Structures are given as structure tokens and as C-alpha cells.
């Protein structure tokens, strides 16, 4: 006889899942599968939410930086104008 057959002639190797399992076992497997599916879905949602929050935070930071850059540019422009006026007055005083 072959090595994979038991003494009563039925194969002792089980390939795949047992189909003849009890109703309780089938229900348990079904719930286990459902749990895994729900868990993976929840992880996916958490990743999606995290990505969204990171994108929102980055947008906020970039807007703040743009505002600060605009203010600095405005200040430098104002200072340049003041310096130009001051140098102009200085030249006029020399004459």
C-alpha cells in the first residue's frame, strides 16, 4: 500500500479545508473570516484618514509659510523704499 493511505484505505492527507465539519465549526470559520475582512477594512480606513490628516496639516503649514513669506517681502519692500528716501534726503542735505 501507498504511504499516504491509512489502514482502512482512506487518504490521511487533508488538502484544503474540511467540508464535512460541524455546523459550529463552519460558523466559527465564517465569523473568523468576517472578522479578518472587517479588520483589514478598518486598517485601510485608518491609513486613509491618516493620509488625509497629513495632507491637511501640510496644506495648513504651506499656507502659513506663504503668508509669512508675503509679509517678509512686504517689509523688505517697505524698508527699501525708506532707505531710498533716506539716501535721497541725505544727498539733498549735502548740496
Amino acid at each position: 500500500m501507498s504511504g499516504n493511505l491509512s489502514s482502512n484505505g482512506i487518504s490521511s492527507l487533508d488538502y484544503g479545508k474540511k467540508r464535512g465539519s460541524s455546523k459550529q465549526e463552519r460558523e466559527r470559520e465564517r465569523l473568523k473570516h468576517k472578522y479578518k475582512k472587517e479588520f483589514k477594512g478598518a486598517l485601510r480606513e485608518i491609513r486613509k484618514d491618516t493620509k488625509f490628516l497629513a495632507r491637511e496639516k501640510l496644506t495648513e503649514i504651506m499656507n502659513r509659510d506663504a503668508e509669512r513669506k508675503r509679509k517678509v517681502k512686504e517689509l523688505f519692500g517697505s524698508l527699501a523704499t525708506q532707505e531710498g528716501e533716506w539716501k535721497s534726503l541725505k544727498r539733498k542735505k549735502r548740496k
Side-chain angles (χ1 to χ4, degrees), residues 2 4 6 9 15 26 30 34 38 50 71 76 93:
S2 178
N4 65 349
S6 64
Y15 294 104
R26 283 194 306 264
R30 187 185 69 77
K34 188 176 179 182
E38 291 287 329
T50 304
K71 286 181 180 177
F76 273 117
K93 285 184 182 178

Side-chain angles (χ1 to χ4, degrees), residues 23-82:
K23 191 173 183 179
Q24 252 186 340
E25 287 175 7
R26 283 194 306 264
E27 181 68 14
R28 185 174 178 276
E29 287 299 317
R30 187 185 69 77
L31 289 173
K32 198 162 125 183
H33 180 73
K34 188 176 179 182
Y35 166 79
K36 282 184 180 180
K37 194 173 178 182
E38 291 287 329
F39 188 78
K40 284 180 183 179
L43 285 178
R44 199 175 303 119
E45 285 296 317
I46 289 170
R47 282 191 207 105
K48 202 184 316 181
D49 290 348
T50 304
K51 203 174 188 180
F52 171 78
L53 289 173
R55 195 169 43 242
E56 287 295 309
K57 188 175 181 181
L58 181 64
T59 303
E60 183 184 326
I61 289 169
M62 289 180 75
N63 287 340
R64 243 187 293 139
D65 287 353
E67 181 67 20
R68 189 179 67 241
K69 192 175 181 180
R70 184 190 63 76
K71 286 181 180 177
V72 167
K73 191 175 179 181
E74 189 179 306
L75 281 171
F76 273 117
S78 176
L79 285 172
T81 304
Q82 282 181 10

